[in-house]
């Protein structure tokens, strides 16, 4: 009986000790620390901080190079910031992929999303009838083709442009396009001009960018046994072939299925117009890359191209062509497998990250 009493006593003592330890641990967790960014500025331009949404927006003067800017960030005493204040950052694509800043203090943290934009207004769409203009944002030009027989002295464009800007000639106004016409946007005290030219004739078919990681960023879904996928992964090696900062990426495990990668749906591509595709691929393992083209009118088309072993660890541009008589009438989805060649039986393949970028449909 005494033995049973001792066991009970020791059990109660152990429970009390564990309870006391848990209380002490809870008491050591500090949830009162301040993790708010107090100010955020770049070259003297103050950012607008939205404390409820944890966002910061900085509007830089027109002409600012956004590719290498350093921010001065004020945080509470005792807090830590990553990336640190004064770190040079490429903000060129932050309006699509905001830069994340983490403020850590004690046991808590905040994650802010920072968008840095140059003050500028743009024409984003220029339509006359059923024809859509070709806009060159660098050259500030719009080129639009209209059908034969069109009276170009009385055309009424539908123009879309930056919210908050004003435009002249006014949207919806009939305009004589016998000669090129300059459209001027006024925005936040600045003016931006586009030269619009109208040509009578058939419009050319231009390459169609399906994904590029920066401003055309549909979300890839995982295919096969891919454990994770990113549509905005950092470019592992910027070079002349691919100097943009973001790409798509998966981690390939040794035991993954051959058909492991990513897919894009919701496409509406005419394969009678676009019959070949280009894709940039970066990896450190030679083997076939496969595109699977899915759509109406025929079976899925699986197109393979070799990623060469003599240029491992470099961006390679691969071209995939639909075969003659493929039968597809509409393309709805494209799947990418960056390593269709099996790796399960290769003792030298330990798994690594693979990347692709710049998926483009090209006309015949």
């Amino acid at each position: 009986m005494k033995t049973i009493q001792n066991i009970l006593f020791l059990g109660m003592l152990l429970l009390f000790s564990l309870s006391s330890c848990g209380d002490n641990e809870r008491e050591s967790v500090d949830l009162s620390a301040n993790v708010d960014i107090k100010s955020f500025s770049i070259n003297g331009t103050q950012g607008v901080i939205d404390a409820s949404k944890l966002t910061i927006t900085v509007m830089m003067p027109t002409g600012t190079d956004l590719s290498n800017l350093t921010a001065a960030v004020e945080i509470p005493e005792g807090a830590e910031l990553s990336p640190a204040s004064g770190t040079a950052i490429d903000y060129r694509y932050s309006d699509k992929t905001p830069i994340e800043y983490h403020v850590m203090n004690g046991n808590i943290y905040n994650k802010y999303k920072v968008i840095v934009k140059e003050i500028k207004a743009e024409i984003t769409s220029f339509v006359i009838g059923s024809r859509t203009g070709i806009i060159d944002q660098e050259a500030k030009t719009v080129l639009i083709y209209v059908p034969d027989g069109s009276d170009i002295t009385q055309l009424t464009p539908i123009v879309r442009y930056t919210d908050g800007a004003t435009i002249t000639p006014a949207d919806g106004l009939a305009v004589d396009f016998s000669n090129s016409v300059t459209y001027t946007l006024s925005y936040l005290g600045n003016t931006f001009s586009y030269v619009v030219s109208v040509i009578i004739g058939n419009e050319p078919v231009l390459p169609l960018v399906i994904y590029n990681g920066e401003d055309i960023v549909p979300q890839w879904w995982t295919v096969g046994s891919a454990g994770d996928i990113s549509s905005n992964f950092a470019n592992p090696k910027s070079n002349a072939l691919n100097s943009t900062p973001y790409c798509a990426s998966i981690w390939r495990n040794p035991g993954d299925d051959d058909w492991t990668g990513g897919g894009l749906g919701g496409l509406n591509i005419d394969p009678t117009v676009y019959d070949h595709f280009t894709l940039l691929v970066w990896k450190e393992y030679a083997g076939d890359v496969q595109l699977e083209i899915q759509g109406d009118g025929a079976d899925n088309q699986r197109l393979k191209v070799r990623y060469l072993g003599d240029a491992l660890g470099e961006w390679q541009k691969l071209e995939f062509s639909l075969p003659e008589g493929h039968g597809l009438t509409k393309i709805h989805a494209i799947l990418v497998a960056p390593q269709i060649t099996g790796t399960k039986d290769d003792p030298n393949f330990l798994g690594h990250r693979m990347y692709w970028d710049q998926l483009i449909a090209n006309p015949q």
Side-chain angles (χ1 to χ4, degrees), residues 42-43 45 58-70 91-92 116-120:
I42 298 177
N43 295 344
T45 300
V58 187
M59 300 297 294
M60 300 300 295
T62 300
T64 301
D65 180 2
L66 304 182
S67 65
N68 189 32
L69 295 176
T70 58
Y91 293 100
R92 285 177 296 171
V116 179
K117 297 191 291 186
E118 175 190 356
I119 294 177
K120 63 180 178 180

Side-chain angles (χ1 to χ4, degrees), residues 137-158:
Q137 297 292 3
E138 294 296 324
K140 300 299 182 192
T141 60
V142 179
L143 183 61
I144 187 164
Y145 292 78
V146 296
D148 291 337
S150 299
D151 179 8
I152 63 174
T153 65
Q154 289 289 321
L155 295 177
T156 305
I158 298 174

Side-chain angles (χ1 to χ4, degrees), residues 340-352:
I340 196 65
T341 308
T343 57
K344 291 183 179 180
D345 298 325
D346 186 347
N348 297 317
F349 185 82
L350 304 178
H352 82 86

Side-chain angles (χ1 to χ4, degrees), residues 104-162:
M104 297 153 284
N105 198 349
N107 301 108
I108 59 175
Y109 75 96
N110 264 343
K111 179 173 67 177
Y112 286 82
K113 292 187 175 182
V114 177
I115 296 173
V116 179
K117 297 191 291 186
E118 175 190 356
I119 294 177
K120 63 180 178 180
E122 294 180 328
I123 291 177
T124 55
S125 174
F126 198 98
V127 178
I128 297 176
S130 62
R131 300 294 180 89
T132 300
I134 302 167
I135 303 174
D136 186 330
Q137 297 292 3
E138 294 296 324
K140 300 299 182 192
T141 60
V142 179
L143 183 61
I144 187 164
Y145 292 78
V146 296
D148 291 337
S150 299
D151 179 8
I152 63 174
T153 65
Q154 289 289 321
L155 295 177
T156 305
I158 298 174
V159 188
R160 297 289 177 264
Y161 48 91
T162 302

Side-chain angles (χ1 to χ4, degrees), residues 166-289:
T166 58
I167 191 168
T168 55
D171 183 29
L173 182 69
V175 178
D176 181 357
F177 285 99
S178 299
N179 297 300
S180 297
V181 176
T182 298
Y183 275 72
T184 301
L185 296 162
S186 298
Y187 182 64
L188 298 179
N190 296 273
T191 58
F192 307 88
S193 297
Y194 286 75
V195 176
V196 180
S197 301
V198 174
I199 297 175
I200 297 176
N202 294 324
E203 54 189 337
V205 180
L206 301 177
L208 175 65
V209 179
I210 302 170
Y211 166 86
N212 66 9
E214 282 74 43
D215 55 350
I216 302 177
V217 194
Q219 294 301 307
W220 295 85
W221 75 72
T222 55
V223 175
S225 54
D228 71 320
I229 192 165
S230 172
S231 297
N232 294 103
F233 206 90
N235 183 345
K237 188 173 185 179
S238 179
N239 59 18
L241 189 58
N242 189 9
S243 61
T244 60
Y246 300 110
C247 59
S249 176
I250 63 165
W251 177 265
R252 175 67 181 248
N253 293 302
D256 281 346
D257 298 332
D258 296 348
W259 184 234
T260 295
L264 288 179
L267 306 178
N268 185 20
I269 300 173
D270 185 348
T272 65
V273 177
Y274 299 96
D275 67 347
H276 61 285
F277 305 83
T278 52
L279 180 72
L280 299 182
V281 176
W282 190 103
K283 54 182 180 174
E284 296 177 341
Y285 195 83
D288 289 340
V289 178

